[in-house]
Amino acid sequence: MEPILFWVNLNLENELCKPPAKVRQTRGAVFHISATAFLGADCIDATRARIIDRLAHVLCAFFFDHFGGTVSNHIDIVNAMYVALPKQDFETFAKHTHPDFAVVEADSLPFAGTFSGMEGFTQLVTKVFEMFSEFEPNVKAMAAGDDTVMVWIDMKLTGRESGKTINVPMIEVFSFEGDKVKQITPFYYDTDAINAIV
């Protein structure tokens, strides 16, 4: 769910009309509440404007923390995992995984199967690095919901034996339980291209 945030639009040509920084930075839906709608245009003086503005900031913080925070936190976690993976920094990777964590790879891949826990994940990474001398995920975009983050990647791979390099578009789906990743499911655009360079 996209975060739903609020601020009061005071219809005044001053700083009070600007939404709080958190609202300006979010991609969530934003609803304008016009102060004149419930106070009347003649009632908006500077004192009331400041009170309403403070109330708007409180509302923004509340809705961001309760609805927007989870989504942004999940994206931060996925970003951290992508930074850790090429460096084989399993300690950082592991702290974000659920006890029942698993990666499910397609049957058509040379590293097919379900890899459970960090032990299974380490086996998967070992296989991948045995097959490819270059493994470079270039993250193009992310989309997040309540318990899912989907990542669009341009994956650069170089076969260790063939020496051939390809760029394969793919989507990785991160499924969360709370603030831990429970499953990663990659979807490759062209598994034949991957098999051809191994």
Side-chain angles (χ1 to χ4, degrees):
M1 183 180 73
E2 284 287 306
I4 300 175
L5 307 175
F6 298 80
W7 84 80
V8 174
N9 177 5
L10 298 173
N11 297 317
L12 299 175
E13 296 299 323
N14 58 36
E15 288 296 313
L16 294 176
C17 287
K18 290 184 178 180
K22 281 185 177 180
V23 177
R24 293 200 299 271
Q25 293 168 5
T26 186
R27 294 182 181 179
V30 178
F31 291 81
H32 297 255
I33 307 172
S34 176
T36 57
F38 56 90
L39 290 178
D42 295 336
C43 295
I44 307 297
D45 58 27
T47 301
R48 287 185 174 88
R50 289 189 186 89
I51 293 171
I52 296 167
D53 185 64
R54 288 297 95 204
L55 175 61
H57 279 70
V58 171
L59 285 170
C60 279
F62 173 82
F63 281 99
F64 186 87
D65 291 341
H66 286 77
F67 297 102
T70 300
V71 170
S72 61
N73 186 48
H74 286 170
I75 289 176
D76 289 343
I77 289 169
V78 172
N79 274 320
M81 294 173 88
Y82 274 114
V83 170
L85 181 56
K87 297 185 291 186
Q88 298 188 51
D89 180 2
F90 297 124
E91 183 178 350
T92 297
F93 198 95
K95 75 178 184 180
H96 297 301
T97 61
H98 189 275
D100 298 325
F101 171 69
V103 179
V104 182
E105 296 283 6
D107 291 339
S108 56
L109 289 167
F111 41 89
T114 298
F115 300 85
S116 300
M118 282 307 299
E119 182 179 350
F121 180 72
T122 304
Q123 292 171 0
L124 170 61
V125 172
T126 300
K127 280 187 175 184
V128 168
F129 279 94
E130 285 175 353
M131 296 177 184
F132 304 103
S133 59
E134 189 172 19
F135 177 85
E136 185 180 321
N138 178 22
V139 176
K140 309 290 284 186
M142 292 188 182
D146 282 341
D147 54 12
T148 305
V149 175
M150 291 178 289
V151 188
W152 170 26
I153 301 168
D154 184 26
M155 181 69 76
K156 184 179 182 180
L157 298 169
T158 300
R160 191 171 292 280
E161 292 187 9
S162 69
K164 295 179 180 178
T165 299
I166 58 171
N167 287 281
V168 181
M170 62 180 292
I171 298 290
E172 286 197 315
V173 179
F174 288 71
S175 301
F176 281 80
E177 187 170 302
D179 62 350
K180 301 295 182 182
V181 177
K182 191 169 185 180
Q183 183 168 307
I184 301 174
T185 311
F187 295 89
Y188 296 85
Y189 180 75
D190 190 351
T191 56
D192 288 343
I194 296 172
N195 285 306
I197 68 166
V198 173

